[in-house]
Amino acid sequence: MTSRARTALRQAAAAAGFTLEGARTLQLHRNWVVRLPHAAPGRPVVAKVHEPRSIPTVVHREVQVAGWLHRSGVLTARPVVERPTATEAGLLVTFTEDLGDGPPASSKGLGRLLAELHALPLPSHIALPGLDVTGTLLSRISRLPEDVLAPADVHWLSIHVSAAGEQWKNTPCGGDVVLHGDLNVLNSIVTPAGPALIDFETVSRGPAAYDLAFEAWRRDGFGEDPAGYARFCHAYGADVTTDRQGAPYKVLARLRAATGAVIALEAAVHDPAWRPEAARRLNCVRTLNSNPARHPWNWSTDPTVPAAEAASTRARTA
């Protein structure tokens, strides 16, 4: 992590009265997430140093949502400092309670959590943005360097995403709920009190189908256990792939596929081992325009493991 981020953490911890003794990095990606086991007597805390491009109102909303969910009875990491700390280093830092080192929630646990979230009334005191299914993705595509995605492919992928966005506007999907917006396994954790939902950077309001499509795509794109997806649907009480004749999911699957390709392409910028997987994912996205999708696609989350081997391992452990 940069010296700027370390300076920001020191400044924010000092302002909150927390010690950095025994600090340990939990995640180092766009944001720097650090466990402070001795932040205060008997009070372990997790600090998050937000990336330089973070928007203060968005970070503040993330803290607001976590506090509101905790008060509403949805398990999450409670903020221990009510507002983001702005530092002289120019970075924002937030502090939440430490939920421990539990594994991600099971499919069943995640389904129950999401049902609890979607059942809550839209909060009147938090300005939740409306769901934008293409804006952030198009921006990410435009920033991909030519050595991982040629200009012609950038143009094609942008048109593909924009077309899916237009199709989404004309697809009946139901009323708005509070959306998590990034329902992946890393954004849940099992605690002694049960599974908890974390990380609300992308929270918004929109149709429930958007959140539900994340789990469906784990089955269709990555070849995850269909029985696990069935448990998720049973716990939540709906199956997005069949709801409304599957119309919303058909559009969202196009967007999830494009997002998966972009994630691999972004990884390939810093790690050439990701380039074959990125190319394979991009080719899968192209087939959506010419042939019916044949799922699962068995995408890999580890570029060092051949796709066939990864699929075989999932089949043996399903």
Side-chain angles (χ1 to χ4, degrees), residues 105-144:
S106 65
S107 298
K108 181 179 179 180
L110 195 59
R112 287 180 174 174
L113 271 175
L114 198 59
E116 291 177 9
L117 175 66
H118 289 174
L120 293 175
L122 292 170
S124 58
H125 66 292
I126 302 176
L128 295 179
L131 174 65
D132 180 357
V133 296
T134 62
T136 300
L137 184 55
L138 288 171
S139 177
R140 290 167 66 180
I141 293 170
S142 70
R143 293 197 298 268
L144 290 168

Side-chain angles (χ1 to χ4, degrees), residues 31-105:
N31 305 306
W32 184 30
V33 182
V34 185
R35 168 172 287 144
L36 308 180
H38 309 295
R43 192 185 195 187
V45 166
V46 170
K48 182 177 182 180
V49 182
H50 295 257
E51 65 173 331
R53 292 181 300 177
S54 296
I55 302 171
T57 54
V58 173
V59 177
H60 179 54
R61 182 170 62 235
E62 183 180 352
V63 176
Q64 281 185 299
V65 168
W68 169 67
L69 289 178
H70 186 269
R71 293 190 299 273
S72 300
V74 177
L75 279 177
T76 188
R78 177 181 56 84
V80 296
V81 176
E82 293 185 359
R83 299 184 64 87
T85 302
T87 64
E88 294 177 7
L91 300 177
L92 296 168
V93 182
T94 53
F95 296 98
T96 62
E97 65 177 323
D98 186 353
L99 296 179
D101 290 315

